[in-house]
Amino acid sequence: MDHKKAHSVRYLLLVPALVFAVAPVYWMLTISLKTEVEQFATPPPWFVFTPTLAHYYDAFVTRGFGQYLLTSAIVAVTSTACALVIGTLAAYGLARFELPFRLNRRLSLWILSTRMFPAIVTAVPLFLMMRDVRLLNTRAALILIYTAFNLPFVVWMMRGFFADLPRDLEEAALVDGDSRLGALVRVALPLVAPGLAATAVFCLIVSWNEFLFALVLTQTEAAMTLPVGIAGRVTQYEIKWGVMSAAASVAIVPILVFALALQKYLVRGLSMGAVKG
Amino acid sequence: MGIEFRNVTKSFGDTKVVDNLSLEIRDGEFVVLLGPSGCGKTTTLRMLAGLEPVTSGDITINGERINDVPTQHRDLAMVFQSYALYPHMTIAENIGYPLRVRKLNPVERAERVKRVAAMLEIESLLERKPRQLSGGERQRVALARAIVREPRAYLMDEPLSNLDARLRVQMRGELKRLQHQLGTTTIYVTHDQAEAMTLASRVAVMKKGRLQQFDTPLNIYNHPANRFVAEFVGSPSMNFIAGEISDGTFVSDALRLEVPPELAAQSRVTMGIRPEHIEVLTSPQEGAVPASVYVTELMGNETFVFLSLGPQRLIARAPAEFRAEVESRVWLRFAHDKAHFFDSVSEVSATKRHKNID
């Protein structure tokens, strides 16, 4: 009986939270499917309206949202991959090799400190730097910056996962004749795979959603990412709610799919280290 | 393969974990490094494996200095205390790992894995994952992974310490047979003196990073170089009685005993005598010393008699049928030709010099 009661209390708390979280997404989805007249009707037609795909057609066929989507995908995937490779190697080094002068701790804190100031502080310097190396309006600029901004996160996450891994296993691999890198790739990495997956999802989400640097550093259609593209529909003369909602609805799909695909690892990765064994 | 430690020292900060160790291990020998925890035996093994850098001194294999050779090129195999099986691989993949790393073709790899698995009777486990195995089975897999190739030597770090008592004795026998069969140099670390006695062709006893004695198990047992070795090896432990030697007699508060004439007079000496060299008598006899029974422990095949000799507590081995009440009076006869004498200050054996070399 108590068990049932606890169950109902749990749902009583969960349902409002869920409604709170999903309502904006629902609002966005319905806007993207409504005609402009219905978008502004009062009271708004919550559930019953005549769906239309006109805004999707407008966004992805008439306008260049397909191009933005592609740019976003390239930038997010490449920067995530770079951050994971570099960050994992750095994390492994920090977790496994004892450096002189207590550098393990100092370097780790230094890496973390780069995340301690607000991103906006670096916007102007980065703009000037990118201008000087002629990388303004390129995907490369965004890839570089997203990689740099994701690195501290990757290093700190992965360092923890590696630290929790018994050294014995890699030592056994070395004695068995494998190289350090071989031991990392064949023994350590498969064992921290859930952590790696969780880290990857976070990096991807951050890169995919990033708005500030994308706005500052890319002005041309060819280099614009989806968030900047969507925001660009707010103009002096009109706000294209339908097009924006349609593009935004499409924008959440890749992340959703990726996170669902890695869900199994995600939960394990996030709780890894929390519980030993 | 001959392995030699030449004046090897390992320091962590200011602490010397291994202190000026010199050890020459002959090809095909089964050498056991024995000592209490913290004596540096595992560090010694890890230095040989290349998992721990040497602070000073040299380690050679077949005369070749290997201090700076990275672990993966030393061609040694190691069995870890934790077994260190790769949890994400099947047993077959675990055993085949050293071969895979050496780029042996999959067909031959599978064949050799199978052969080794058959040898250790774990063929039925090949498709499983380590977590599905019992401790004893994991132990066999770890062994199989070590012997699947022909390394220059096997290093074993307390490989049996995680097994229950019965299994440990069984695996101990199998290890000995296996080493006999393979004839490969083996260096085995343990704190269990019984393992050292049964397995080793020679035992290196260590204490606080220093080598105490390096000899055959029998010599270690019968001719301990110092009080530490005498106390550490043998179960139950050797008895020690403090006293002095004058005019060819050992004198303590409760005891007078004739000693070999070549022992010099000495004011501070400790006599050591093993429990089996004290005979417990229930009636007074010529030369026997009176004592009282503290408690007796029946072992089934023998009886341990704990005794009070004045302020001194002793333990003696008696036949299984020996019975005595607590606090009852008994008489002790010491096999004085089996007694050891140690300098009370340096703890070095005074009797050692007339040991027979065998």
Side-chain angles (χ1 to χ4, degrees):
Chain A
M1 217 39 191
D2 262 6
H3 188 72
K4 224 172 180 177
K5 217 179 192 173
H7 223 66
S8 43
V9 169
R10 198 177 298 165
Y11 278 107
L12 221 65
L13 293 170
L14 267 177
V15 168
L18 192 69
V19 169
F20 189 75
V22 172
V25 179
Y26 179 75
W27 189 248
M28 175 187 75
L29 276 172
T30 51
I31 293 273
S32 79
L33 294 169
K34 285 175 187 170
T35 59
E36 283 188 6
V37 175
E38 276 176 318
Q39 282 171 14
F40 293 104
T42 4
W46 289 103
F47 304 106
V48 188
F49 53 85
T50 325
T52 168
L53 289 174
H55 302 306
Y56 287 87
Y57 185 86
D58 193 9
F60 291 95
V61 181
T62 316
R63 299 162 200 264
F65 277 90
Q67 174 70 31
Y68 307 153
L69 194 69
L70 182 69
T71 301
S72 270
I74 291 173
V75 168
V77 169
T78 315
S79 66
T80 298
C82 290
L84 284 181
V85 171
I86 301 169
T88 302
L89 288 172
Y92 187 71
L94 288 170
R96 282 295 183 255
F97 299 103
E98 201 169 321
L99 303 171
F101 311 114
R102 295 173 59 214
L103 273 180
N104 294 63
R105 196 183 138 74
R106 287 177 180 166
L107 278 178
S108 300
L109 286 175
W110 178 57
I111 290 169
L112 188 66
S113 73
T114 61
R115 286 293 288 255
M116 289 178 183
F117 49 80
I120 188 83
V121 172
T122 59
V124 172
L126 279 174
F127 176 84
L128 296 175
M129 284 160 74
M130 288 302 165
R131 189 192 61 188
D132 289 350
V133 292
R134 300 185 188 286
L135 282 179
L136 280 186
N137 296 318
T138 62
R139 292 164 180 168
L142 294 182
I143 290 171
L144 268 175
I145 290 168
Y146 293 173
T147 301
F149 271 77
N150 275 327
L151 263 179
F153 177 72
V154 177
V155 170
W156 272 76
M157 287 284 281
M158 295 311 295
R159 197 181 71 126
F161 295 137
F162 284 131
D164 283 346
L165 210 61
R167 279 161 190 260
D168 275 11
L169 296 174
E170 292 142 65
E171 288 180 346
L174 290 179
V175 176
D176 282 345
D178 214 341
S179 63
R180 220 355 130 165
L181 200 63
L184 170 63
V185 172
R186 276 183 280 265
V187 176
L189 272 187
L191 295 173
V192 295
L196 196 67
T199 311
V201 172
F202 280 118
C203 289
L204 205 68
I205 290 173
V206 168
S207 305
W208 186 260
N209 291 339
E210 206 284 329
F211 179 71
L212 177 67
F213 291 105
L215 180 68
V216 173
L217 297 172
T218 58
Q219 303 292 328
T220 59
E221 286 276 310
M224 207 175 270
T225 60
L226 207 48
V228 180
I230 292 170
R233 293 319 110 186
V234 181
T235 65
Q236 210 173 337
Y237 308 105
E238 54 167 5
I239 299 175
K240 292 296 243 176
W241 291 113
V243 175
M244 287 166 68
S245 300
S249 304
V250 172
I252 63 171
V253 174
I255 295 290
L256 203 65
V257 170
F258 188 63
L260 283 177
L262 294 179
Q263 195 187 27
K264 182 180 80 173
Y265 293 113
L266 210 57
V267 176
R268 261 172 65 203
L270 290 174
S271 58
M272 238 165 113
V275 189
K276 276 263 179 193
Chain B
M1 304 287 160
I3 295 169
E4 196 183 347
F5 289 80
R6 222 177 284 145
N7 308 104
V8 171
T9 296
K10 171 72 187 177
S11 312
F12 289 114
D14 291 335
T15 28
K16 281 187 179 169
V17 186
V18 175
D19 191 357
N20 200 21
L21 175 75
S22 291
L23 210 60
E24 215 183 318
I25 296 161
R26 292 188 287 261
D27 187 21
E29 253 192 315
F30 197 124
V31 168
V32 172
L33 303 180
L34 175 69
S37 57
C39 75
K41 54 193 193 301
T42 295
T43 308
T44 304
L45 197 73
R46 288 173 59 83
M47 283 194 287
L48 177 56
L51 298 172
E52 211 73 73
V54 176
T55 308
S56 70
D58 292 324
I59 302 176
T60 63
I61 299 181
N62 280 351
E64 175 210 355
R65 185 176 178 275
I66 57 155
N67 287 38
D68 305 316
V69 177
T71 300
Q72 60 267 33
H73 297 138
R74 291 192 185 191
D75 194 19
L76 303 166
M78 185 156 169
V79 179
F80 290 75
Q81 185 173 8
S82 64
Y83 312 141
L85 301 182
Y86 311 125
H88 57 298
M89 298 183 195
T90 64
I91 299 312
E93 285 167 340
N94 261 283
I95 300 173
Y97 190 84
L99 305 177
R100 178 176 148 204
V101 171
R102 284 174 176 71
K103 309 228 158 53
L104 201 74
N105 70 65
V107 180
E108 197 178 337
R109 203 196 307 167
E111 210 167 275
R112 277 171 69 172
V113 167
K114 213 170 233 171
R115 203 179 329 140
V116 172
M119 203 163 140
L120 290 167
E121 293 163 19
I122 47 172
E123 297 142 289
S124 58
L125 308 174
L126 286 178
E127 295 313 311
R128 298 206 202 155
K129 291 278 179 73
R131 66 171 173 278
Q132 297 166 289
L133 267 52
S134 70
E137 288 166 342
R138 285 180 204 187
Q139 165 65 55
R140 282 166 191 274
V141 175
L143 267 177
R145 190 175 62 186
I147 64 178
V148 73
R149 62 196 167 98
E150 277 102 52
R152 297 201 279 187
Y154 300 124
L155 316 184
M156 304 195 183
D157 185 9
E158 311 225 11
L160 304 182
S161 62
N162 289 336
L163 302 180
D164 63 57
R166 199 180 59 83
L167 203 55
R168 198 179 313 156
V169 172
Q170 186 199 334
M171 279 307 292
R172 197 166 76 190
E174 289 189 31
L175 260 180
K176 184 159 191 174
R177 229 190 123 73
L178 198 65
Q179 203 267 345
H180 180 78
Q181 205 175 325
L182 298 167
T184 307
T185 313
T186 303
I187 297 144
Y188 184 107
V189 163
T190 184
H191 62 267
D192 181 346
Q193 54 96 22
E195 272 174 31
M197 293 299 285
T198 50
L199 286 171
S201 48
R202 281 197 293 169
V203 182
V205 185
M206 293 178 73
K207 176 199 176 189
K208 291 182 180 159
R210 286 178 165 275
L211 181 65
Q212 305 293 310
Q213 190 172 4
F214 184 35
D215 213 331
T216 62
L218 218 55
N219 277 342
I220 295 264
Y221 190 81
N222 290 332
H223 307 286
N226 57 39
R227 181 176 165 164
F228 174 80
V229 175
E231 194 167 6
F232 198 78
V233 176
S235 174
S237 228
M238 190 183 272
N239 299 292
F240 295 99
I241 304 169
E244 58 175 53
I245 293 176
S246 59
D247 299 332
T249 314
F250 171 79
V251 185
S252 83
D253 296 342
L255 185 70
R256 292 178 72 86
L257 209 65
E258 228 176 277
V259 299
E262 64 271 23
L263 278 175
Q266 214 171 346
S267 59
R268 308 215 312 166
V269 75
T270 303
M271 183 183 88
I273 188 149
R274 294 210 180 270
E276 60 265 37
H277 297 139
I278 302 177
E279 195 184 351
V280 186
L281 306 162
T282 46
S283 57
Q285 274 186 34
E286 174 73 36
V289 187
S292 73
V293 173
Y294 185 74
V295 75
T296 58
E297 282 184 353
L298 267 69
M299 304 307 290
N301 60 337
E302 60 183 348
T303 303
F304 294 158
V305 190
F306 292 78
L307 303 147
S308 299
L309 179 68
Q312 189 86 38
R313 192 65 51 78
L314 299 177
I315 176 166
R317 279 190 138 120
E321 56 279 5
F322 179 89
R323 294 286 180 278
E325 289 299 314
V326 168
E327 294 298 332
S328 66
R329 198 151 187 76
V330 290
W331 286 264
L332 308 179
R333 190 147 61 194
F334 293 85
H336 54 76
D337 55 326
K338 302 281 199 219
H340 302 266
F341 294 93
F342 305 98
D343 186 302
S344 294
V345 181
S346 69
E347 304 204 330
V348 173
S349 172
T351 20
K352 204 199 164 199
R353 67 188 126 89
H354 53 248
K355 85 168 197 195
N356 40 346
I357 308 297
D358 46 8

